[in-house]
Amino acid sequence: MYVLPPHCPESSSLFPSCRLWRHFELNGMHKPGDVILGGLFEVHYTSVFPEFTFTSEPNQLNCQGFDPPGFRHAMTMAYAIDEINKNSNLLPNVTIGYSLYDNCATLVIGFSAALSLASGREEQFLAQETCLGSPPVLGIVGDSFSTFSIATSNVIGLFKLPIVSYFATCSCLSDRRRFPSFFRTIPSDAFQVRAMIQILKRFSWTWVGLLVSDDDYGLHVTQSLQADMAQSGAGCLAYTEILPWGENPAELKRIVEVIKKSTARVVIVFAHQIHMIQLTKEVVRQNVTGLQWIASEAWTSAAVLQIPQLMPYLGGTLGIAIRRGEIPGLRDFLLQVCPDLHHNSSYGNSLVRQFWEHTFHCRFAPPPAGWLEAGGPLCTGQEDLENVETEFLDVSNLRPEYNIYKAVYALAYALDDMLHCVPGRGPFSEHSCATLDSLEPWQLMYYLEKVNFTTSFGDQVSFDENGDALPIYDIMNWLWLPDGRTKVQNVGLVKKSPFKGEELILDEDKIFWNFDSKQPPQSVCSENCPPGTRMARKKGQPVCCFDCVLCSEGKISNKTEDYWSSPQRDHCVPKETEFLSYHEPLGICLTTTSLLGTFFCAVVLGIFTYHRNTPVVRANNSELSFLILLSLKLCFLCSLLFIGRPRMWTCQLRHAAFGISFVLCVSCILVKTMVVVAVFKASKPGGGASLKWFGAVQQRGTVVALTAIQAAICTAWIVSASPAPHKNTQYHNDKIVYECVVGSTIGFAVLLGYIGLLAILSFLLAFLARNLPDNFNEAKLITFSMLIFCAVWVAFVPAYVNSPGKYADAVEVFAILASSFGLLVALFGPKCYIILLRPERNTKKAVMGRGTTKT
């Protein structure tokens, strides 16, 4: 096939003729259709090819090590396309074809295959004035390697041709600026690394080794794992080694010796199947046992490693595996594979013939180009797959295949959505729609970003803003059965959901541990220090490695902050705890005062209710008076939330309840003051119009609006930076002070500032109205009450800032109680005096100021 852009020489024809500079022979499999999807798969382990020359003759490619599961991956894509073509509800009247290539686990071949898919298979074409028709392929499924996908996407992404990988996990591919057209149906390594760390934490493995492949996959995993382990405090890496590509016995011998000498009993391997095949040969040769292996998704399901001969070394392996799925009808489709069905196709299908030769140990005459393992009897094409044992037909554990299946369907659904576009309502310029006759790759990518469907297995498929699918992995365990057989069992899963975040679910009772104790191993650099000693870092060593030295006074380890050493320094005793308690004298006094204030409010409320029809109560909107009494009762009660051991709910509720209660109270007072001023203006000639803005409905609406603003402030504060309980050990070495941290100082300041703003407005209005005639003298009571209120809270700020621990809570409670009592006495004391002791003044005539002396 072709790997370089076309060259257009001069031509005497009407339109110039363009031809590709050079072509390259690739193992492939093709099927025609109205639209074509491309695929890149690892069907061979490696390749041997000659030196590249820019000639017109094909370069002969020789791929070695046929991989039946890899061929099954390619045939899964063919099956998905065949299933879609038979589905009358998806892409009706459109037939999908495919061009599938083998990358032979070699970067240059995979890259060449991708360019061949992008440029097409025609060697010569006319460069017409207008380009019509679909591109050679609408999208590419693949590649399986992260490095290959990076190289391919760097170039193909320039043309916005969609690439949907089923196995490339490098977190770097989530960079939308570098890879704008890259999508994947497998989670990125960033999620896989965090899943590994959760497993390490579950079993307290703090000292582990790391082996990675020598490519982008391994490089980015190393950086991500080191950063995440340091950030989460999950442990330390005893060593980090890079597994070489190709045969390198000396380097593998050195790496295995490092593993043997290390005290780390847990080894994490982020590498490909071929790396583990090479590594295990050396592990067996040096007889390295007693290790707990943790496998990445690249080799967790590798059947070639799950053999009885390797179980003494790899038994008990825990691995992250791609989500398993079900694809009904796949095995029947695989059984239909036959070279006779494709032999006469003009597209050529070398992969089918190579699979046939590998499976039946025969050869076609002549041997196909690119096949080194020709030999044995001639193939007839009539051999029966049912009568041969091959991994190709094993569909019991479909993992990469399920991702391939989802990738093909994602492209199909995107194309279907595009073809259902209504002209004049499209998403492109002038509301136009894309059509197959003038389709641009970026137009299909637009629909691929928005695709959302559910597979027959029940899994939802969609892509986030980075092109990543919703992450989920199975946790697998390699079981070594008593009869010598092996089995890979599912022992849990790790997933990310919108509501619960990242979650590890593990059935520890099912896990097989390949140790005599049948228990998980210990993997630590240094054992925990015994009583009477503390940890001392070893110079030049990770934080997990330390010596144990005699404790200084008051400490035995870095994890005993809730305890204090005994006088003999040989064991821990609980530290004293301090918080504003209901059982100490200060707490009892504040609680009693709060309950008394609540009781007085109830008494005044009862008095006003009983005398609700008298002039003193009805004057200046009695409804607001009742609201003030109710809010004052809430103010007294909310102070109780500051007493007792801080909990999450009390920390969140105490300031919210305090802020909303006081704003309700002060807003009622503000409205009362405004009404006093309005009534006075209305008593003057021509001033009656001012009262229409202060009816009962307007007064209620103003109170509700002002209180709603404070509720919004409290909600935003709790959601963005919620107050939370905190154990403070900074005040005293031998004492823990329980307190509520405000979370956001700005939120607390805005809450207090809003209360202060309303109080100052009320004070100013009442102060300006203090000299009004005596029949409107409630303004004097409001002025005095607001003066007390502001004085208390101005004094509160410095006292609160300079009070440590429980005394800060006591200061805030005192401020709440003092200001509440000030408002209660100043506003309702004179009225209760008239109602109870001077009833002769509780008349309309006296209240209106006619025929009575001044009080």
Side-chain angles (χ1 to χ4, degrees), residues 759 763 784-798 815 818-819:
F763 173 74
F784 186 60
S785 66
M786 286 295 101
L787 185 62
I788 297 173
F789 185 87
C790 293
V792 169
W793 286 103
V794 168
F796 160 77
V797 175
S819 55

Side-chain angles (χ1 to χ4, degrees), residues 680-752:
F680 174 69
K681 288 185 178 181
S683 66
K684 295 182 178 181
S690 62
L691 273 180
K692 69 179 181 179
W693 301 107
F694 293 95
V697 175
Q698 288 83 356
Q699 293 177 39
R700 296 191 199 102
T702 304
V703 171
V704 171
L706 294 175
T707 307
I709 293 174
Q710 182 73 311
I713 292 172
C714 295
T715 302
W717 177 18
I718 292 174
V719 171
S720 61
S722 173
H726 173 64
K727 294 189 292 186
N728 194 321
T729 58
Q730 303 301 315
Y731 297 137
H732 311 282
N733 285 333
D734 58 347
K735 186 182 295 184
I736 299 174
V737 177
Y738 288 91
E739 58 186 8
C740 283
V741 291
V742 294
S744 171
T745 306
I746 295 175
F748 188 40
V750 170
L751 180 143
L752 290 178

Side-chain angles (χ1 to χ4, degrees), residues 535 557 820:
M535 296 187 301
S557 78
S820 299

